[in-house]
Amino acid sequence: MIFYSTNKSSVPASLKKATLEGLAPDGGLYVPSEIPAFSPGELELLQNAPFTDVAFAIAKKFTGDEIPHDRLYAIIEECYTFDTPLHKLDGKTFVEELFHGPTLAFKDYGARFLARMTGYFAEEDQKLITILVATSGDTGSAVAYGFQGIANTRVVLLYPSGKVSRLQEQQLTTAGGNVTALEVNGDFDDCQRMVKQAFMDQDTRRRLTLTSANSINISRLIPQTFYYAWAALKLSKEHSGRKVVFSVPSGNYGNLTAGVLAMKMGFPISHFIAAANANDSVTRYLDEGRYEPRPTIRTLSTAMDVGNPSNFARLQHIYHYNALEMAHDISGYSTPDSETLETIREVYDHYDYIMDPHTAVGYHSLEAWRRTHRTDDPSVVLSTAHPAKFIESIQDALGIEIPIPGRLQSVLDKQKSTTPIDASYRDLATFLETL
Ligand SMILES: *Cc1c(COP(=O)(O)O)cnc(C)c1O
C-alpha cells in the first residue's frame, strides 16, 4: 500500500517510510492512497472470527508485501494479549471497553502496534531507532509501555516536572529498560520545543535515527480500526444484520478517523457520534460548515482537551473538504463538565456501571443523538479509559471510592526512575550525546 500526504506535495511513501517519518516532509499527515475494501464474502468469513483474526485481515491489506504474513500475525498476537469486552447496558446499548491494556487507556491499541512495526522496520535496516516524545501524560505512558523491551528501539520521553498527575508520572517513569524518562524543569511547551529542536539539529540527526511516536503516525491509526471492525461484525450478526452506531469520545480525532476508515472498508457501521467536551471546534464545523479552531479549554476529560485537533486534516481529506458529506456520516455533540458528572451518576444509578469522564461524554452524546434519531441499530460507546485513572471525578460524581486494579497498583508501587534536566535544548543535546 502507498501513502500520500494530506498536503499532496510529498512523494508517495511506503508503510515503512510513513511509519518511520511520522509526519510527511511537507508537514501533512499520511493517508492511504485508497481505502482497502472488504467484499461481502470476506466479511462473512470474519463474522465469527476472534479479534486477532479480524485485526490480521485488516492489517495485511495495509502492509501488503512489506511484512511477511506469519510475522505480521505474530506481531498482532503480541499486541493484543488482553480482552476487548463489549459490556451490555441494555438491549441495544453497549460499552466497548478499550482499557484493558497495560496503561488502562485505549492508546495501548495504537502504541503497541506502532512499537512492533517500528521494531520490525528497524531490524530490517539493522538500525537502532530512537523515539523522542514530549508528553503531558497519556500518550507518553502508552508509548513507554508499548516500546518496552522492543529490540532495535529506545525511547526518550520528556515530561514537565510536577505538571502531570502522580499516576501518570509513575506510568511514564517505571517502564525501565530501553525507556528513559527526562524530567524537565519547565512546562509541556518547553518539552515540545526541545523535541522539535532535536529534530532540526543536524549533528544529532547524523548520529541518531530519530523518530516520533505521536498520534499522527499512520501505524497508530491502522490498529485503531480493529476494534470497530470486530465489534461491528459481532453486534451486526447478533442484531439480524443491522448496522452499528459508534459514539467516540474525541480529542485529536484519531480514534474517530480510524472508525471512518473501518466503515469505508465495508464493516457494518451506520453512523458516528463525534463526542467532544467543551472543546467544540469539530462540533461547530459539523453544524455550521466552518472550521474555526479555538484555544484549548481545560475540562474533566483532560485527554480530550484539544482546541485544534491534528487528525481533522485526515477527516477533511477523506470527506473531500465537504462539511455536508462529513455530516452525513458523523453527528457532533459537545458536553459541558456539569453534564459529564451528571451522566456518571445517571449511568451508575441506572445500570450499576461506572464510566470514566471521557466515556461519559460519549454516552451523553449518544443519548442526545437518540432524542432526534429513532433507530433500532445497536449502539456502542467506546470506553477510552478505566475509571480508576480518574478517581477524583468518580468521587465527585458518586461519592464512592473505587478499587484500583492490580495492574495500576503495581505501577504505583514501583520506584520512579528519571533523569532531571533543565528546559534548554543544550541539556537535551548533552543527554543525547551520552546515548
Ligand atoms: C487520547 C484520548 C482520547 C481522545 O482520542 P483522540 O484519538 O485524540 O480523539 C479520549 N479518551 C482518552 C482516555 C484518551 O487518552
Side-chain angles (χ1 to χ4, degrees):
M1 164 94 46
I2 295 291
F3 296 85
Y4 288 113
S5 163
T6 49
N7 284 352
K8 299 208 176 72
S9 56
S10 287
V11 286
S14 62
L15 182 60
K16 176 176 180 172
K17 182 169 169 348
T19 299
L20 296 182
E21 272 178 1
L23 204 65
D26 64 6
L29 275 63
Y30 281 113
V31 284
S33 54
E34 56 176 325
I35 300 175
F38 280 75
S39 68
E42 283 177 298
L43 292 175
E44 207 179 308
L45 278 175
L46 288 174
Q47 244 174 13
N48 290 311
F51 186 92
T52 42
D53 289 8
V54 175
F56 177 59
I58 295 172
K60 69 185 179 193
K61 297 216 185 219
F62 286 98
T63 55
D65 57 10
E66 288 189 63
I67 299 183
H69 283 176
D70 54 346
R71 186 69 190 268
L72 180 63
Y73 194 78
I75 285 177
I76 284 170
E77 278 197 310
E78 271 174 49
C79 286
Y80 306 112
T81 49
F82 47 87
D83 279 345
T84 304
L86 276 168
H87 180 93
K88 185 172 180 169
L89 291 180
D90 61 35
K92 57 175 187 181
T93 315
F94 299 81
V95 179
E96 188 170 14
E97 295 183 349
L98 302 175
F99 55 69
H100 294 275
T103 69
L104 294 102
F106 89 102
K107 290 196 171 66
D108 287 328
Y109 284 83
R112 289 171 70 78
F113 187 79
L114 168 67
R116 284 161 183 80
M117 299 296 276
T118 305
Y120 177 81
F121 292 136
E123 179 190 315
E124 201 173 59
D125 287 358
Q126 297 280 303
K127 267 189 192 152
L128 173 62
I129 297 209
T130 303
I131 294 102
L132 196 57
V133 189
T135 182
S136 55
D138 276 345
T139 294
S141 52
V143 168
Y145 277 86
F147 279 86
Q148 186 183 37
I150 302 288
N152 303 300
T153 72
R154 70 181 158 208
V155 175
V156 178
L157 294 168
L158 283 75
Y159 77 95
S161 179
K163 296 197 172 62
V164 301
S165 74
R166 164 158 149 72
L167 172 61
Q168 283 174 329
E169 180 166 39
Q170 285 297 112
Q171 287 188 319
L172 291 171
T173 58
T174 59
N178 59 335
V179 182
T180 307
L182 299 181
E183 184 173 355
V184 177
N185 183 16
D187 58 22
F188 176 61
D189 291 330
D190 292 322
C191 298
Q192 260 189 321
R193 175 179 48 77
M194 290 158 74
V195 165
K196 275 197 190 132
Q197 279 176 290
F199 276 96
M200 289 184 311
D201 181 345
Q202 294 310 320
D203 269 358
T204 298
R205 298 209 74 166
R206 255 193 302 279
R207 283 190 314 108
L208 304 174
T209 308
L210 287 185
T211 180
S212 78
N214 55 21
S215 64
I216 48 92
N217 197 299
I218 189 74
S219 279
R220 276 182 63 172
L221 196 68
I222 292 166
Q224 290 183 1
T225 63
F226 302 163
Y227 46 77
Y228 286 97
W230 174 77
L233 286 170
K234 186 170 155 64
L235 291 175
S236 174
K237 182 166 192 282
E238 290 169 10
H239 292 79
S240 350
R242 300 195 80 93
K243 291 188 175 184
V244 178
V245 176
F246 282 93
S247 180
V248 188
S250 295
N252 269 317
Y253 287 80
N255 202 0
L256 183 68
T257 304
V260 169
L261 289 180
M263 176 163 83
K264 298 214 170 262
M265 282 188 253
F267 291 96
I269 299 169
S270 57
H271 200 68
F272 291 100
I273 321 290
N277 57 27
N279 294 281
D280 62 354
S281 306
V282 174
T283 323
R284 284 180 289 108
Y285 174 79
L286 288 165
D287 285 344
E288 299 156 16
R290 278 192 309 275
Y291 187 60
E292 290 160 352
R294 289 186 186 155
T296 302
I297 302 166
R298 189 90 180 141
T299 76
L300 292 174
S301 42
T302 48
M304 292 156 46
D305 292 347
V306 183
N308 189 7
S310 58
N311 268 283
F312 186 63
R314 280 198 177 109
L315 282 175
Q316 282 198 302
H317 172 90
I318 293 171
Y319 287 107
H320 311 102
Y321 301 84
N322 182 328
L324 283 178
E325 199 184 324
M326 198 188 292
H328 178 265
D329 288 351
I330 306 171
S331 302
Y333 292 89
S334 157
T335 300
D337 278 351
S338 57
E339 291 186 39
T340 304
L341 289 177
E342 186 56 36
T343 302
I344 295 174
R345 274 191 285 276
E346 274 173 22
V347 171
Y348 183 63
D349 287 348
H350 220 85
Y351 299 108
D352 202 18
Y353 184 81
I354 299 177
M355 281 178 176
D356 96 285
H358 304 79
T359 311
V361 168
Y363 183 83
H364 186 263
S365 304
L366 175 63
E367 289 293 277
W369 180 76
R370 276 174 165 170
R371 276 196 284 280
T372 51
H373 297 79
R374 297 195 69 79
T375 173
D376 287 324
D377 288 351
S379 306
V380 176
V381 177
L382 294 186
S383 183
T384 50
H386 193 294
K389 288 193 94 168
F390 300 92
I391 291 181
E392 296 84 2
S393 295
I394 304 300
Q395 232 159 11
D396 283 351
L398 306 179
I400 57 168
E401 291 267 0
I402 51 170
I404 296 187
R407 274 161 304 155
L408 208 52
Q409 190 59 53
S410 67
V411 169
L412 285 171
D413 292 342
K414 280 190 191 159
Q415 182 67 36
K416 131 180 176 184
S417 157
T418 68
T419 304
I421 65 169
D422 275 333
S424 85
Y425 177 62
R426 269 289 107 229
D427 278 33
L428 176 60
T430 306
F431 172 80
L432 292 174
E433 273 165 28
T434 67
L435 288 180

